[in-house]
Amino acid sequence: MKKLRLHQCGNFNERYEQELSVFETDFGRLWTCIGVCVLFGIVPFISSLYTLYIFNVIAITAIAAIGLNILIGFTGQISLGHGAFFGVGAYAAAILATRAHFPFLAALPAAGLITAIVGMVFGIPSGRLKGLYLTIATLAGQFIIEYVLVHWESLTHGTMGMILPPAEIFGIQIMGERKFFFLSFILLIIMTTAAVNLMRTRYGRAFVSIRDNDRAAEGMGIPIFRYKILSFGISSFYAGFAGALWAYYMTSITTEPFSLALSVEYIAMVIIGGMGSITGSIFGAIFITGLNELLRWITSILMNIHIGGAVSLTIAPLRELVFGLAIVLFIIFEPRGLAEVWRIIKSSFKLWPFSY
Amino acid sequence: MVFFFQLLVNGISIGFLYGLAAMGFVMIFKSSSVLNFAHGELLAFGAFIFLTLVTWAHLPIIAAFVVALAGSFVFGFVIERLFLRPLIGEPLIYVIMLTVGIAAIFKGAMLLLWGGNLYIYPDFLPLAIGIKWGVVNIAPVYVVSTTVGLVFLVLFGLFFKFSSQGIYMRSVADNQQAALSLGVHVRRVFALSWAIAAMVAAMSGIVLGIINGINVHDLSSIGLKVFPVVILGGLDSIGGAIIGGLIIGLLETFTGGYISPSLRDVVPYMVLVGILLVRPYGLFGLVEIERV
């Protein structure tokens, strides 16, 4: 029988495969299994519908955040158009479902692929340009996509929005928070596993090498342009996939939410969660979604307390302020994000009582 | 024909303002190679300070203008000291993200303070300075904006050419390490470039506010329109910023006038993508050939 690896108080890897392993110890594997069992076995049956709604939003945004992290955290390219790509995915799914009558299971990846192609088009400038310029190109992409979504009325119904049929898998309608909970978290686990394993392949290593030193990467024989575009495509695929899922979850979509503010929100998730960490993106999605709900709660309380209508407090500016503050504070004080905080907590448990 | 000339005049004056706004942006980029995503918020901040001073504190226009510029100057210093200083030497990606964060903070704060309404300055420009030339009518605002633009362009040209601080700033832009070894106080130059950029931004914010009325959303979106301008003109060229501003301003007004008003706001970005694909260093930018 294989020897179990439990607590280790150091790095005892002897071969490269050990370094690459997903779980450092069997303890981690055990906890992950327990976590998944709790997630599917207990959580959906004890939580209220509102809590389940928050969980679903977290799962969907986490998929998109993982996609952005592949681009920002692993390949080192900044995208300010992720919110728009999310929107492209949502609209692609809506159009495929209503016009072409795609079934749910086909519409989801198809929407992802369409978004990937759109993303790659906006990624083309990265062939000639480095970091800064690409950020600007994706910013332009954000505005152009927003414009197209609003004004291509024959296809997107403009500001009227679109309504989707309910998701259906093998004849079972996925309606309501609880059923959707299973769907969204199964998809999140699939997408997370795919991303984690992608980063262990040659593609993932090529991405990281481009991030760390593009000239050296080129020198090592990595075709940078191709890999940058590929990274763009994968990142947009995740965004589109999440967008499509979101469209099915909401059942009606308008162009409004896919603004620059959403792109900034995703960037905040990646930074707060930790760049270059897949689990970090999930933490980031939890943090931002939680913060969103917390702010909504606070503003509703303040609205009730408030006497006289001189100052009407709305959530949007407050949200923007708090998100900005969160980004700035994390960059200045903990640039590696929540993933690093989590690592510190874990290792302090692991190394106790001899932490030095 | 009248319509054409009217659009031409409007385009040129709007273009000058874009150019001015872009100038502050280029200044920060040149000295510290930071892409400032919070530039539109600096614009809006200046405009709102001016509004508050004029309507609430009832200062005379000139005094309010000077105080607003001075306030923005100090504000720029504070931003650099609080947010940018701790990040000197960190990877660029963090610095860019930081300015995105700063932009969100300021926008939120300004929306909380002043709300999302459209404000209009009290009418203070004398009608006499408007120019009526044949059938073409140039409103006083446009005369003022173009004059202010030209004056500041010349002032900055002189500043960079002859003043010692201007020369320090150019040296830092050219080669940071060499400047440091020759005794230039690089950190002070960074701070100064932020302060000056905030001041220029405030000025263009005020003048834009006179033309269009002031609104947090509109003014901060100007900060993003600066990107097509600077990419067209060349990211590190101050003259290029003005030319780029004029081109983008004209393009916008003509698209708005002849094709469709809704296309107006997107055209600059379409141009931007085109330029990035064809000539990424812009018209007057430094050509850096690096094939990776």
Side-chain angles (χ1 to χ4, degrees), chain A residues 128-129 133 147 215 267 321, chain B residues 97 105 263 266 277 280 290:
Chain A
R128 297 184 61 178
L129 307 159
Y133 289 91
Y147 177 82
R215 282 176 229 188
I267 288 176
L321 180 75
Chain B
M97 297 300 180
I105 294 181
L263 200 62
V266 195
L277 284 173
E290 189 180 16

Side-chain angles (χ1 to χ4, degrees), chain A residues 319-330, chain B residues 83 101-102 104-105:
Chain A
R319 204 166 77 176
E320 209 147 347
L321 180 75
V322 173
F323 282 177
L325 209 59
I327 295 180
V328 167
L329 290 179
F330 265 95
Chain B
F83 300 119
I102 294 176
I105 294 181

Side-chain angles (χ1 to χ4, degrees), chain B residues 40-63:
Chain B
E41 279 68 22
L42 293 179
L43 237 85
F45 181 77
F48 273 104
I49 291 291
F50 184 66
L51 176 83
T52 314
L53 289 173
V54 171
T55 56
W56 182 71
H58 294 293
L59 284 182
I61 300 299
I62 301 292

Side-chain angles (χ1 to χ4, degrees), chain B residues 232-263:
Chain B
L232 181 59
L235 254 181
D236 46 10
S237 154
I238 288 192
I242 298 288
I243 308 275
L246 284 176
I247 296 175
I248 295 287
L250 284 171
L251 196 71
E252 246 192 51
T253 37
F254 278 115
T255 319
Y258 283 115
I259 303 174
S260 111
S262 63
L263 200 62

Side-chain angles (χ1 to χ4, degrees), chain B residues 71-142:
Chain B
S72 303
F73 190 81
V74 175
F75 189 56
F77 256 123
V78 172
I79 293 176
E80 201 275 341
R81 190 71 198 82
L82 276 186
F83 300 119
L84 274 302
R85 191 66 66 83
L87 288 189
I88 289 181
E90 294 279 334
L92 209 56
I93 191 166
Y94 287 119
V95 186
I96 295 177
M97 297 300 180
L98 186 85
T99 63
V100 173
I102 294 176
I105 294 181
F106 290 158
K107 197 170 171 194
M110 280 188 292
L111 282 172
L112 283 181
L113 279 176
W114 284 289
N117 303 332
L118 182 74
Y119 293 89
I120 296 167
Y121 292 126
D123 216 7
F124 53 77
L125 293 170
L127 278 174
I129 53 174
I131 297 172
K132 209 167 160 58
W133 179 58
V135 284
V136 180
N137 203 355
I138 306 178
V141 219
Y142 290 123

